């Protein structure tokens, strides 16, 4: 995972089960993680959320909101490299 070192990554649905564990692995590999999720706030306890609260930028909102996405990219994601989506 050295490819993620010092890169900014947007994780949509990052407060959910898969997204939160992905975010934790990215943080362990020294990525800068921005989580976008429809939940109003990041979960406060339990695995892996207790380890993520200090390490990620959490944005509450919908991925369909183009103005919000533009703001996220302008503020935190200056270089867009790849989009990865998991569907189960």
């Amino acid at each position: 995972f050295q490819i993620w070192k010092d890169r900014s990554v947007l994780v949509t649905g990052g407060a959910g089960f898969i997204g939160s564990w992905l975010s934790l692995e990215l943080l362990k590999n020294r990525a800068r993680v921005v989580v976008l999720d429809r939940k109003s706030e990041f979960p406060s306890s339990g695995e892996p959320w207790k380890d993520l609260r200090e390490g990620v930028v959490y944005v509450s909102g919908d991925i369909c909101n183009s103005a919000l996405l533009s703001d996220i990219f302008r503020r935190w994601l200056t270089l867009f490299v790849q989009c990865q989506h998991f569907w189960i």
Side-chain angles (χ1 to χ4, degrees), residues 3-22:
I3 191 172
W4 299 112
K5 182 181 176 191
D6 298 325
R7 291 193 184 218
S8 296
V9 181
L10 173 63
V11 179
T12 60
F17 182 77
I18 294 172
S20 60
W21 285 104
L22 173 62

Side-chain angles (χ1 to χ4, degrees), residues 3-87:
I3 191 172
W4 299 112
K5 182 181 176 191
D6 298 325
R7 291 193 184 218
S8 296
V9 181
L10 173 63
V11 179
T12 60
F17 182 77
I18 294 172
S20 60
W21 285 104
L22 173 62
S23 297
L24 184 60
E25 286 301 312
L26 288 166
L27 284 175
K28 286 179 181 177
N29 288 281
R30 299 177 57 189
R32 294 181 299 269
V33 179
V34 178
V35 168
L36 173 62
D37 200 287
R38 289 186 292 183
K39 294 181 178 158
S40 61
E41 61 183 53
F42 207 69
S44 60
S45 62
E47 297 282 342
W49 299 286
K50 63 183 176 69
D51 297 325
L52 291 173
R53 288 192 65 81
E54 300 298 320
V56 301
V57 173
Y58 185 79
V59 179
S60 176
D62 194 312
I63 194 169
C64 295
N65 183 335
S66 60
L68 177 61
L69 281 178
S70 293
D71 186 52
I72 289 170
F73 279 95
R74 184 179 51 75
R75 293 174 70 186
W76 294 295
L77 304 170
T78 56
L79 176 64
F80 183 69
V81 177
Q82 172 181 337
C83 177
Q84 184 70 44
H85 179 74
F86 297 97
W87 184 261

